[in-house]
Amino acid sequence: MAKVVVKNLTKKFDDVVAVNNMNSIVEDREFAVLVGPSGCGKTTMLRMIAGLEEVTEGEIYIGDRLINNVAPKDRDIAMVFQNYALYPHFNVYDNMAFGLRLRKTPKPEIDKMVHEAAKILKIEDLLKRKPKQLSGGQRQRVALGRAIVRNPKVFLMDEPLSNLDAKLRVQMRTEIVKLHERLNATIIYVTHDQTEAMTMADKIIIMKNGIVQQTGKPQEVYDYPNNMFVAGFIGSPAMNFLYATITDRMTLKGGIFELNTTDKVRKIIKDNNLIGKEIVIGIRPEDLEDSYFVQNIPANNTITANVEVTEPMGSEIYVYVDIEGVLVTARVNPRSILRSGGKATLYVDINKIHVFDKNTEKVYI
Amino acid sequence: MNTINKKNISIGKIRRKSSRSNNPNNIDRGRGFDFFSALKYQPYLYLLPAFIAIVLISFFPLGYGFWLSLTNMSLGTFKNPVFIGIQNYLQIFKDMAFLKTLWRTVIWTVLNVTFHVVIGVALAVLLNRKLPGKAIFRIFLIIPWAMPQYIAALTWRGMFNINFGAISILLDKTGIGRELFFAGIINQYPIPWLTDPAWLFKGAIITNIWLGFPFMMMIVLGGLQSIPNSYYEAANLDGATGWQKFKNITVPMLKPILAPAIVLGVVWTFNMLNVILILAGSVGGGYGNEASQILVTEVYRQGFNFYRYGYASAYSVLVFLILLAFLISFMRFIRGTESVQ
Amino acid sequence: MKKILLWILVVSMIVVFSMVGYLIRYKTPAVEEAPAENPVTIKVWEQMEPAAQKVFDAVQADFEAEYPLITIKRTHYATEDLRTNYLNSAIASGGPDIVYGPSDNIGIFLTADVIQAVTGIVSDEFLAKIAANALADGEVNGKNWSIPDIHGNQIALLYNKAYVQEAPATWEELVEVATATQDVDNGLYGFMYNEKEPYWFVGFFNGYGGDVMDDENNPTLDNEAMVKALQFALDIREVDGVGVEGMDYDTTDAAFKEGNAVFILNGAWSWTSYTDAGIDLGIAPGPVLPGGNNMTFYASTKGYSVSKDVDLTDVDKVNALKLFFDFFVGTAENNAKFALANSQAPTNKAALELDEIKSNVLQQATISTIQNTVPMPIVAETRGIWDAIRPELEAVIYSGKDPAKAATAMQKRAEEAIATIRVKVPAEK
Ligand SMILES: Nc1ncnc2c1ncn2[C@@H]1O[C@H](COP(=O)(O)OP(=O)(O)OP(=O)(O)O)[C@@H](O)[C@H]1O
Ligand SMILES: [Mg+2]
């Protein structure tokens, strides 16, 4: 059992609170991705689990064992560093074998394990080389290999793909996911790239300023973000936010638009006594469409605005329109003839819109 | 416009042109003097000032010294020295003292540099840790290096005095000196540091170790700070002990910095004139017993005490060759132990 | 584009080079373009104490005021640098007309053939103004090679009047007083000196009738006098029970300054530092050695020598040099100034009679102790002598080497060293 549990975990560097009262559970054999903007405390969190950073407050369990005071080497974890930290003067084989040797593993066994790992990672013909003679992707594999041979219960990976080019990154993404299936181990993976999080994770843990914002399956956090931060952080292109006031007629009224609401929304307006208040509407780009391609549009389900830029992507077109000074992205039908400089009437799928509190940024729906 | 491109300055091209080949591609053929193709030597022109400077500063004195070593230049033949071939060298080798002094110089250099490196690395590793009052320790440890050598050596001489010196008093008051004597570790007590040539040599080694370790320490400290911490963290996860980390990470990662520092250290120490002369109290002209001299003090003695310029030059040339041989083999050794970069 | 840049480069290089060439060509003669009055520049390289340099500047100002056509250019060097640079300037160029330094430079310069006898410049009447014993110090092969301006450097017996009122006349008396006064446990030593320096030791050797070299400058160290002197040096601590092991220049000097030594042997250069340190200083000639001989230390001079490059047919230059020597050494008042600045005796006979000298206690002590000295040998071979004495002296006093054996070894060492110094053209075999 290698469940990783974090209770009330806090880390302070003098005045900086890097991780603030964090509570999380990563289940056994789960692929958990810790995601958040730069400086939000992801690395600090990971390093505390690894034992490279002292815990200021709180508890960390691996399995059922409290490991706050357990030496890194006894935590049964392996870490893949962002810069790989391959020993430059050892060849690939020795890099992978180093930890085993220190553990006094018998030679034949080391040999077996290194070759096995090398086979999985397809680096068998690189074993004699030094790290300097490897490409970035190859080094990445060696770093993984070094973690694999240890056969740990938990893998910790700190932005392992950030040094690779875009194409290789995509490729390695799937490889790591496959590796996870094969290894049957718990993985805690740190990244600031939400795409990586979405594509790889069983569970996403989203952090901001040392505080966990939301935890859940990728689709869950995508569809039901807790707050504006999560809503804006997950998804690409990002969610659009527009200010609006709730009218007596329970419509959402901005300067140049007025949108109808669904029953669900109306109920929430009533429950929360929101009439006459200003709120934030969140609309994902895919929930905006060129009205030309939509049949039977009810009244007040469109917004008309000036087109600033269009970006044809082949399968769709990104249309950027200016709504009251906010650049709003819409993913429209590829056959749309909207062009910059012109006007666009965009259909809004009001079933999918989110409403946030303007002050607390918490989600109402 | 493209007259001057890389191709035109390849050696092959220059040779071909100067040998007036019939190469049909030779674009200059049939034209008159073309200033710019004459300037295919242009890169060399740019190098010329630096080249002249190097010749003047480096090669000329070297060559002059070598020429002097083949002459009988001395005080009496000062204005018109005569070429005498390798007689100076023969005379040096005829003298057993040369080999003895060479051997002593080797001991001197090896002991000094070894201790410089060992102490320097040890202190640097300590200073690289989180340590209360680190800045103050660092300043104290750099002092030997910051102090003018002359003053430091004079101070040590004072400390070595058999009756009044701090070291003698310390050995006496603590009783350590007597213990060492009865244990047979030292053969004389109190220790005649300055008056017995063998002890003088030991005292000079101690002094020079003290003078030299801060340099290594600073170099190593710089090197240590450039080793990414993640190597140590990775090793921590692997379960490496302090010594294993030192051996497998610190030492190999320091090598590229230590190697040139050691080379420098060897050259400096091999040619360290001041410490022995000052300790022997013979700065103003006199010299201590031969039993405490090294090659370079002999060069100094022959050159500046007896004004035997030719003979001293021959000595210097030998010192130069010895150091050169050392450097070449040392660099080979380093490169041999090093992986492909 | 590239072509244009290249042209600019080439043209500017040509311009720069030709400008440099112009400067080299036309600047140099401009210096030598002499106006009708024939001004002369005298270049002096010296190795003077800071105080003496100040005196020099003052005297130079007076001199140049009196002889406006003559300019003195003084350059200061440390002892070794002066020797080396002066020798080098003789094969290169740009050396001085006059080189000033201690008399033992003379032997080296003479062997290297870079100075000329001063008699080519100054007259016998001028030389007659200078004290004979000082003049003798710069004399080799019957010729004078320097015009000395100060005389001294001799070692004498110094005593702290806080402990003893009068200087003992003999060594036995000294030992008696010293052992009675000293309190070694409390750090008061009866007698100290720089026991490993030949310059002190030769005082004993000379006293026993020795002389380091004969008339041909061959070493004469393996003799009765040397054995006696070595035995005496050895006995100071071992038999007489005064002195302390490890005493050298610094420890002796420090002990005396702090009032921790009753008697010491030290040179004239050090005396003012003791009075400055508040010691009630007594100065006397070295005591009579066991057996009735006087300790006889060396005295030496510092003085001006004339470069071999000075052209005696250059009347202006020769006249200027004459005036220079007359003013700086031949004038009693100026000579006294240098003597006082150096704390050494003047060489000008008239200066010896001046009030400022007569009334100066240290000057009088210097002048009187010089009477007991012999001139320090200045020939180049002397270096071989020092080099030979030192290790053998140390072997005797520190390791108990037999004095007779040490004397023999010394002689051998000296012969070898001197042979190397004497190398002459044509090539050695
Ligand atoms: N050793 C340290 N001393 C002081 N402050 C630190 C230290 N390490 C991290 N911090 C601070 O703690 C906060 C969290 O840092 P951390 O490295 O965990 O961020 P991160 O989420 O990994 O960011 P990134 O995506 O850029 O790697 C930051 O504000 C950082 O400045
Ligand atoms: Mg990070």
Side-chain angles (χ1 to χ4, degrees):
Chain A
M1 271 294 287
K3 186 163 124 179
V4 177
V5 179
V6 162
K7 276 191 191 158
N8 305 328
L9 192 64
T10 297
K11 173 70 193 181
K12 288 183 191 156
F13 296 105
D14 300 326
D15 317 339
V16 183
V17 183
V19 172
N20 193 351
N21 196 25
M22 178 160 172
N23 286 287
S24 271
I25 299 178
V26 178
E27 299 293 345
D28 185 28
R29 296 172 197 186
E30 198 169 35
F31 195 124
V33 173
L34 208 53
V35 70
S38 186
C40 73
K42 307 177 298 281
T43 300
T44 309
M45 173 67 207
L46 204 65
R47 288 166 57 81
M48 280 193 286
I49 299 174
L52 300 174
E53 209 78 74
E54 247 177 79
V55 171
T56 311
E57 253 171 64
E59 289 144 25
I60 304 173
Y61 297 87
I62 294 180
D64 296 324
R65 180 165 159 231
L66 177 68
I67 54 155
N68 280 32
N69 294 319
V70 175
K73 67 179 168 97
D74 299 325
R75 294 187 177 198
D76 210 356
I77 43 139
M79 184 152 170
V80 178
F81 291 84
Q82 186 172 353
N83 63 355
Y84 313 139
L86 298 177
Y87 308 121
H89 46 281
F90 285 170
N91 64 23
V92 169
Y93 183 99
D94 292 333
N95 257 291
M96 289 165 65
F98 187 60
L100 298 172
R101 283 189 188 136
L102 293 180
R103 270 152 220 264
K104 305 247 152 56
T105 315
K107 252 201 175 148
E109 207 167 313
I110 294 180
D111 209 47
K112 208 181 109 211
M113 290 162 95
V114 170
H115 278 103
E116 225 163 72
K119 203 167 152 194
I120 296 173
L121 293 162
K122 304 193 194 79
I123 48 172
E124 283 159 296
D125 21 329
L126 305 179
L127 288 176
K128 289 263 141 54
R129 298 214 201 153
K130 296 267 168 85
K132 274 188 182 145
Q133 299 163 297
L134 300 176
S135 74
Q138 290 167 333
R139 281 182 216 174
Q140 220 287 307
R141 285 163 201 271
V142 176
L144 281 173
R146 189 167 66 175
I148 291 173
V149 290
R150 300 262 314 277
N151 197 15
K153 285 200 199 120
V154 181
F155 284 90
L156 306 173
M157 303 187 185
D158 190 359
E159 311 208 17
L161 305 184
S162 62
N163 286 345
L164 305 182
D165 67 55
K167 204 170 155 201
L168 200 54
R169 212 178 305 165
V170 175
Q171 185 193 331
M172 285 305 295
R173 240 152 53 189
T174 48
E175 286 198 25
I176 291 177
V177 172
K178 271 196 253 164
L179 195 65
H180 173 235
E181 282 158 15
R182 179 166 187 162
L183 293 173
N184 249 331
T186 311
I187 294 184
I188 302 178
Y189 183 105
V190 162
T191 180
H192 59 259
D193 178 353
Q194 63 90 28
T195 319
E196 269 177 35
M198 291 296 286
T199 51
M200 302 170 83
D202 295 330
K203 177 188 277 172
I204 293 188
I205 301 168
I206 301 157
M207 291 180 73
K208 182 193 168 193
N209 292 340
I211 298 172
V212 176
Q213 305 291 313
Q214 189 168 358
T215 306
K217 292 204 164 60
Q219 199 60 45
E220 248 169 57
V221 294
Y222 186 81
D223 290 339
Y224 307 105
N226 271 349
N227 55 33
M228 277 175 71
F229 173 76
V230 175
F233 190 78
I234 300 289
S236 173
M239 185 184 278
N240 303 298
F241 295 112
L242 293 168
Y243 288 109
T245 313
I246 299 180
T247 63
D248 300 349
R249 288 164 288 132
M250 298 239 190
T251 58
L252 309 172
K253 190 171 168 26
I256 59 162
F257 64 88
E258 183 164 2
L259 295 176
N260 279 339
T261 44
T262 57
D263 293 345
K264 251 203 289 181
V265 174
R266 286 198 205 115
K267 185 174 181 309
I268 282 167
I269 291 173
K270 264 187 220 145
D271 291 353
N272 290 288
N273 217 357
L274 293 177
I275 290 180
K277 290 221 173 113
E278 220 186 340
I279 47 92
V280 178
I281 316 173
I283 312 170
R284 294 229 179 254
E286 63 265 34
D287 299 331
L288 290 169
E289 177 60 283
D290 185 350
S291 59
Y292 176 82
F293 297 96
V294 188
Q295 320 276 309
N296 306 326
I297 303 174
N300 280 353
N301 273 16
T302 58
I303 300 176
T304 303
N306 289 328
V307 179
E308 294 286 313
V309 187
T310 61
E311 284 178 358
M313 309 297 282
S315 62
E316 59 198 358
I317 299 176
Y318 292 174
V319 176
Y320 299 93
V321 299
D322 178 355
I323 302 178
E324 294 162 5
V326 180
L327 203 61
V328 168
T329 318
R331 289 167 67 171
V332 305
N333 193 298
R335 281 179 297 281
S336 167
I337 53 161
L338 295 176
R339 287 295 171 263
S340 55
K343 283 227 178 235
T345 301
L346 296 172
Y347 162 77
V348 183
D349 185 350
I350 58 167
N351 293 305
K352 302 254 181 82
I353 65 172
H354 298 273
V355 176
F356 302 95
D357 187 289
K358 196 185 148 201
N359 296 320
T360 64
E361 301 194 348
K362 287 246 164 66
V363 77
Y364 289 116
I365 181 165
Chain B
M1 260 306 85
N2 268 336
T3 328
I4 304 133
N5 59 22
K6 259 196 184 146
K7 248 194 232 152
N8 280 11
I9 50 175
S10 75
I11 307 281
K13 186 93 174 188
I14 290 168
R15 253 195 227 133
R16 238 181 284 136
K17 280 191 181 174
S18 59
S19 63
R20 296 181 191 211
S21 85
N22 292 322
N23 186 349
N25 292 331
N26 190 338
I27 41 164
D28 289 351
R29 230 157 40 115
R31 283 211 233 154
F33 173 76
D34 182 333
F35 181 74
F36 288 101
S37 38
L39 274 183
K40 67 195 169 192
Y41 300 105
Q42 183 201 15
Y44 301 100
L45 200 65
Y46 290 133
L47 288 176
L48 199 63
F51 185 70
I52 290 172
I54 287 174
V55 166
L56 284 182
I57 291 168
S58 202
F59 291 110
F60 175 71
L62 216 67
Y64 184 66
F66 182 66
W67 178 80
L68 272 188
S69 77
L70 300 176
T71 70
N72 68 347
M73 191 184 199
S74 69
L75 212 49
T77 60
F78 193 70
K79 281 181 164 172
N80 37 10
V82 173
F83 182 85
I84 54 166
I86 57 165
Q87 276 191 44
N88 285 326
Y89 294 92
L90 291 180
Q91 212 175 330
I92 290 172
F93 286 123
K94 229 168 36 194
D95 196 353
M96 274 305 288
F98 173 77
L99 284 181
K100 269 194 211 154
T101 313
L102 174 62
W103 176 235
R104 199 176 302 113
T105 312
V106 170
I107 293 175
W108 161 261
T109 310
V110 168
L111 279 180
N112 269 305
V113 176
T114 307
F115 277 102
H116 288 164
V117 172
V118 169
I119 297 176
V121 170
L123 287 173
V125 167
L126 280 180
L127 279 182
N128 199 35
R129 298 206 176 153
K130 281 193 188 121
L131 207 72
K134 191 159 88 174
I136 295 172
F137 282 121
R138 195 163 43 202
I139 290 172
F140 272 114
L141 288 171
I142 297 173
I143 284 179
W145 197 48
M147 197 187 269
Q149 263 178 19
Y150 185 82
I151 303 208
L154 274 182
T155 310
W156 274 92
R157 189 173 123 200
M159 296 203 299
F160 278 130
N161 186 287
I162 190 165
N163 270 297
F164 313 104
I167 292 174
S168 306
I169 292 173
L170 207 69
L171 287 176
D172 186 43
K173 289 270 149 74
T174 56
I176 291 174
R178 235 161 287 133
E179 292 301 322
L180 290 176
F181 181 64
F182 290 130
I185 295 169
I186 55 175
N187 57 1
Q188 269 161 302
Y189 183 76
I191 300 173
W193 291 105
L194 299 179
T195 51
D196 180 284
W199 278 108
L200 182 73
F201 188 59
K202 288 171 201 162
I205 289 176
I206 292 173
T207 306
N208 198 51
I209 289 172
W210 184 84
L211 276 171
F213 79 82
F215 171 74
M216 288 291 175
M217 186 187 79
M218 289 317 288
I219 295 273
V220 173
L221 200 54
L224 286 178
Q225 277 160 1
S226 71
I227 302 178
N229 207 23
S230 54
Y231 289 121
Y232 294 102
E233 294 181 333
N236 277 343
L237 294 175
D238 279 337
T241 60
W243 171 248
Q244 283 165 331
K245 280 185 272 185
F246 180 73
K247 197 180 90 188
N248 291 304
I249 300 170
T250 312
V251 171
M253 303 276 286
L254 279 182
K255 215 164 66 179
I257 299 171
L258 261 184
I262 288 176
V263 166
L264 267 182
V266 165
V267 175
W268 283 344
T269 311
F270 202 91
N271 287 337
M272 172 55 75
L273 186 67
N274 299 355
V275 172
I276 291 182
L277 285 196
I278 293 170
L279 235 53
S282 48
V283 175
Y287 287 83
N289 201 297
E290 288 93 340
S292 55
Q293 304 295 304
I294 58 174
L295 284 178
V296 69
T297 53
E298 186 62 18
V299 174
Y300 188 83
R301 186 167 99 115
Q302 293 296 341
F304 295 96
N305 200 34
F306 293 158
Y307 295 96
R308 297 175 75 189
Y309 291 110
Y311 189 76
S313 295
Y315 245 96
S316 322
V317 169
L318 288 175
V319 167
F320 172 75
L321 291 179
I322 290 166
L323 280 175
L324 194 69
F326 160 77
L327 289 188
I328 290 171
S329 45
F330 183 75
M331 291 323 268
R332 283 241 176 92
F333 168 73
I334 287 294
R335 221 169 288 149
T337 60
E338 206 160 84
S339 57
V340 199
Q341 278 295 313
Chain C
M1 244 339 261
K2 262 188 189 166
K3 251 185 196 174
I4 293 170
L5 280 178
L6 213 68
W7 271 114
I8 293 173
L9 183 84
V10 169
V11 169
S12 55
M13 272 174 91
I14 292 169
V15 170
V16 169
F17 285 150
S18 46
M19 265 164 58
V20 170
Y22 173 88
L23 285 178
I24 290 170
R25 230 175 116 207
Y26 292 97
K27 193 77 195 174
T28 333
V31 176
E32 286 172 13
E33 238 169 62
E37 302 283 331
N38 290 336
V40 179
T41 301
I42 300 176
K43 273 170 84 181
V44 183
W45 285 8
E46 49 79 8
Q47 180 262 342
M48 286 185 180
E49 303 296 323
Q53 290 178 51
K54 272 195 200 135
V55 170
F56 192 103
D57 288 340
V59 176
Q60 174 181 343
D62 294 346
F63 179 81
E64 285 172 350
E66 193 157 341
Y67 307 105
L69 284 180
I70 305 175
T71 315
I72 298 173
K73 267 185 73 184
R74 174 176 76 85
T75 312
H76 176 77
Y77 288 98
T79 315
E80 287 295 332
D81 291 345
L82 179 79
R83 269 199 282 266
T84 319
N85 284 322
Y86 182 66
L87 283 174
N88 290 341
S89 77
I91 17 179
S93 64
D97 303 306
I98 299 174
V99 56
Y100 176 91
S103 56
D104 57 347
N105 280 353
I106 294 171
I108 291 158
F109 294 156
L110 200 53
T111 316
D113 195 24
V114 293
I115 53 173
Q116 56 179 308
V118 293
T119 37
I121 308 275
V122 293
S123 62
D124 287 346
E125 293 91 80
F126 174 85
L127 290 179
K129 289 185 189 173
I130 295 173
N133 58 357
L135 211 51
D137 192 38
E139 202 181 300
V140 178
N141 303 334
K143 282 186 184 165
N144 290 97
W145 300 92
S146 106
I147 297 170
D149 77 331
I150 53 172
H151 193 191
N153 266 351
Q154 78 282 18
I155 288 164
L157 178 69
L158 311 184
Y159 55 100
N160 188 333
K161 286 187 183 162
Y163 303 112
V164 278
Q165 288 313 306
E166 233 168 284
T170 68
W171 176 250
E172 288 84 355
E173 279 175 52
L174 184 146
V175 169
E176 200 173 306
V177 178
T179 41
T181 320
Q182 73 183 6
D183 183 1
V184 176
D185 290 339
N186 290 315
L188 177 63
Y189 296 91
F191 172 76
M192 287 176 80
Y193 80 115
N194 187 0
E195 67 178 348
K196 59 191 209 181
E197 237 352 284
Y199 193 69
W200 275 255
F201 170 76
V202 285
F204 315 148
F205 175 62
N206 290 339
Y208 281 116
D211 191 352
V212 292
M213 284 178 286
D214 62 17
D215 292 343
E216 263 89 55
N217 299 331
N218 294 314
T220 48
L221 301 174
D222 186 11
N223 50 35
E224 178 92 26
M226 180 56 76
V227 178
K228 277 188 183 164
L230 286 170
Q231 189 64 51
F232 174 76
L234 178 62
D235 287 349
I236 291 177
R237 275 187 284 113
E238 304 287 316
V239 177
D240 301 329
V242 292
V244 51
E245 190 176 359
M247 57 188 174
D248 58 8
Y249 189 86
D250 295 334
T251 46
T252 302
D253 183 59
F256 196 68
K257 265 191 193 131
E258 285 156 20
N260 291 332
V262 182
F263 295 107
I264 68 166
L265 294 175
N266 208 355
W269 61 84
S270 69
W271 299 348
T272 41
S273 73
Y274 299 135
T275 49
D276 289 348
I279 299 295
D280 192 357
L281 180 68
I283 304 170
V288 176
L289 290 162
N293 307 58
N294 285 318
M295 280 189 197
T296 312
F297 294 102
Y298 284 144
S300 61
T301 58
K302 270 183 162 186
Y304 300 92
S305 295
V306 179
S307 165
K308 185 104 181 182
D309 289 343
V310 168
D311 181 3
L312 291 183
T313 60
D314 181 350
V315 183
D316 288 334
K317 178 62 73 75
V318 170
N319 276 335
L321 290 178
K322 262 186 195 149
L323 292 171
F324 174 88
F325 290 132
D326 251 333
F327 201 83
F328 276 72
V329 186
T331 311
E333 287 74 17
N334 287 339
N335 184 234
K337 284 182 199 160
F338 279 101
L340 288 166
N342 282 295
S343 300
Q344 300 211 27
T347 55
N348 187 311
K349 284 178 195 161
L352 287 166
E353 305 304 322
L354 289 174
D355 268 356
E356 57 260 46
I357 301 294
K358 288 225 132 163
S359 65
N360 186 312
V361 181
L362 282 181
Q363 281 291 335
Q364 289 310 304
T366 306
I367 293 163
S368 77
T369 47
I370 285 177
Q371 304 313 315
N372 272 347
T373 64
V374 291
M376 186 174 80
I378 56 171
V379 290
E381 284 89 340
T382 320
R383 301 202 140 210
I385 300 287
W386 301 145
D387 215 59
I389 293 180
R390 200 179 147 114
E392 295 302 329
L393 171 63
E394 287 188 4
V396 170
I397 59 175
Y398 295 136
S399 318
K401 185 169 183 175
D402 176 48
K405 281 188 185 140
T408 312
M410 236 182 238
Q411 175 73 15
K412 194 164 157 276
R413 275 174 193 269
E415 279 166 6
E416 282 168 9
I418 285 173
T420 69
I421 293 170
R422 279 186 180 159
V423 178
K424 286 263 178 207
V425 228
E428 65 190 299
K429 208 53 259 259

